[in-house]
């Protein structure tokens, strides 16, 4: 199992990608991670095997202008999710964003009617922060995660995700139907913890439905 031992985003991001790929959350070339820090924003490359990303493969932007790009010989492109991370950073206090096609985050959107996932009275809710007001959810609180509809291109999701953040100011995540999830937080450690809690809760909800358990 890979470990994250550096405070350098160009090291943190590849290590997180390897960890999530080993967990089955970044299969194929799916998923992306971004960190913003000290006026610079870091993005994964697009369409590559995430477990093989190297520090020099990370795109770095400063004030929305390219600051570092991978060697031209690698023919890499910045993640198509990058504009979505930028709007998340613009609208919240987050400094890290994770996007994956985690199977439970996809399935929960298909078994949930409407545009929200709601769950309460579960211990793992306590691992999730309230985005706007700060602090952590209690296990008795109702956690609400908005769902937006999928689109042909990632950039096409920008208006819907921007609106979801406005409409649900406490959320640290948005689900994309038949697609996956975006999670953000105030550090990479907190974002990783919340991401894992969200996926656990979605998996739990799916299994509860399979077992006919209707209580929240």
């Amino acid at each position: 199992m890979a470990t994250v031992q550096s405070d350098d985003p160009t090291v943190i991001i590849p290590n997180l990608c390897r960890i999530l790929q080993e967990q089955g959350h970044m299969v194929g070339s799916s998923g992306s991670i971004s960190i913003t820090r000290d006026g610079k924003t870091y993005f994964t490359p697009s369409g590559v095997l995430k477990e093989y990303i190297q520090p020099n493969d990370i795109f770095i932007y400063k004030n929305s202008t390219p600051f570092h790009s991978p060697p031209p010989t690698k023919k890499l492109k910045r993640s198509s999710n990058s504009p979505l991370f930028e709007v998340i950073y613009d609208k919240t206090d987050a400094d890290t964003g994770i996007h994956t096609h985690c199977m439970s985050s996809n399935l929960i959107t298909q078994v949930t009617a409407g545009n929200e996932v709601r769950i309460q009275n579960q211990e793992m809710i306590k691992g999730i922060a309230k985005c706007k007001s700060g602090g952590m959810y209690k296990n008795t609180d109702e956690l609400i995660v908005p769902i937006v509809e999928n689109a042909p291109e990632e950039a096409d999701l920008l208006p819907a995700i921007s609106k979801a953040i406005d409409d649900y100011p406490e959320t640290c995540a948005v689900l994309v139907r038949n697609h996956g999830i975006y999670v953000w937080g105030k550090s990479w450690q907190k974002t990783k913890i919340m991401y894992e809690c969200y996926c656990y809760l979605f998996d739990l909800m799916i299994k509860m439905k399979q077992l006919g358990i209707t209580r929240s």
Side-chain angles (χ1 to χ4, degrees), residues 19-83:
I19 291 169
L20 293 177
Q21 197 280 334
E22 289 170 0
Q23 293 176 345
H25 293 184
M26 286 189 166
V27 297
S29 64
S30 67
S32 57
I33 295 176
S34 172
I35 292 175
T36 186
R37 183 183 296 174
D38 300 327
K40 297 176 184 176
T41 307
Y42 302 74
F43 303 101
T44 48
S46 178
V48 299
L49 296 171
K50 295 304 186 289
E51 67 269 34
Y52 291 108
I53 291 176
Q54 301 299 314
N56 203 35
D57 296 336
I58 303 300
F59 287 83
I60 307 174
Y61 277 61
K62 187 174 183 179
N63 299 323
S64 300
T65 301
F67 182 81
H68 166 82
S69 297
T73 53
K74 291 195 171 185
K75 299 180 180 179
L76 297 176
K77 297 186 298 182
R78 185 176 71 146
S79 171
S80 58
N81 305 124
S82 300

Side-chain angles (χ1 to χ4, degrees), residues 142-161:
E142 184 177 45
L143 180 69
I144 305 173
V145 186
I147 302 172
V148 302
E149 298 303 319
N150 200 12
E153 302 292 338
E154 298 284 350
D156 297 335
L157 294 169
L158 192 58
I161 288 182

